[in-house]
Amino acid sequence: QVQLVESGGGLVQAGGSLRLSCAASGRTSPSYYMGWFRQAPGKEREFVAAISGSGANTYYADSVKGRFTISRDNAKSTVNLQMNSLKPEDTAVYYCAARPSYSLAVRPYEYDYWGQGTQVTVSS
């Protein structure tokens, strides 16, 4: 089993920044693909960003490209999401997810482990 715990959410004004962190424990592996997803009220969970085990490969949803940056520190078993130039439409619960695979995935069902989520609210 893998346990994921997110932190760093909060309330920020439009144009501001937040940094989310995800701490992994249990049967983790630096080879796992890690992803961030988000879910706004009344909407489906959607892909935000993903990073390969080595950190060499990253992938972003078009809606956050150029504003968000995903990174990982395998020595600390953490994955971060730096969010800049936040918009009200970024408001959602943000989830960290782990996928025991070397290949990229952007669909929620392709990830095996999930955190409990952290709320991000962007005011206009």
Side-chain angles (χ1 to χ4, degrees):
Q1 277 290 61
V2 174
Q3 292 78 43
L4 303 173
V5 179
E6 302 96 335
S7 61
L11 173 64
V12 64
Q13 289 188 333
S17 299
L18 281 175
R19 183 177 177 86
L20 305 183
S21 292
C22 173
S25 62
R27 297 175 66 91
T28 61
S29 170
S31 65
Y32 284 12
Y33 242 95
M34 300 295 295
W36 284 96
F37 290 77
R38 66 187 182 187
Q39 188 166 18
K43 295 187 176 181
E44 294 186 352
R45 192 168 297 189
E46 65 173 3
F47 171 78
V48 174
I51 187 167
S52 62
S54 67
N57 299 306
T58 57
Y59 189 74
Y60 298 92
D62 288 343
S63 58
V64 307
K65 201 172 294 183
R67 301 186 298 121
F68 290 12
T69 303
I70 188 171
S71 62
R72 68 190 293 167
D73 184 338
N74 286 335
K76 297 181 180 179
S77 297
T78 57
V79 179
N80 301 307
L81 185 69
Q82 178 66 43
M83 306 186 296
N84 298 327
S85 302
L86 283 162
K87 305 174 181 180
E89 51 263 44
D90 294 318
T91 295
V93 177
Y94 283 70
Y95 297 90
C96 175
R99 168 177 164 82
S101 170
Y102 290 100
S103 62
L104 170 68
V106 299
R107 297 175 180 84
Y109 70 83
E110 295 176 300
Y111 285 76
D112 290 356
Y113 305 104
W114 292 85
Q116 82 290 349
T118 185
Q119 176 71 46
V120 171
T121 303
V122 184
S123 63
S124 57

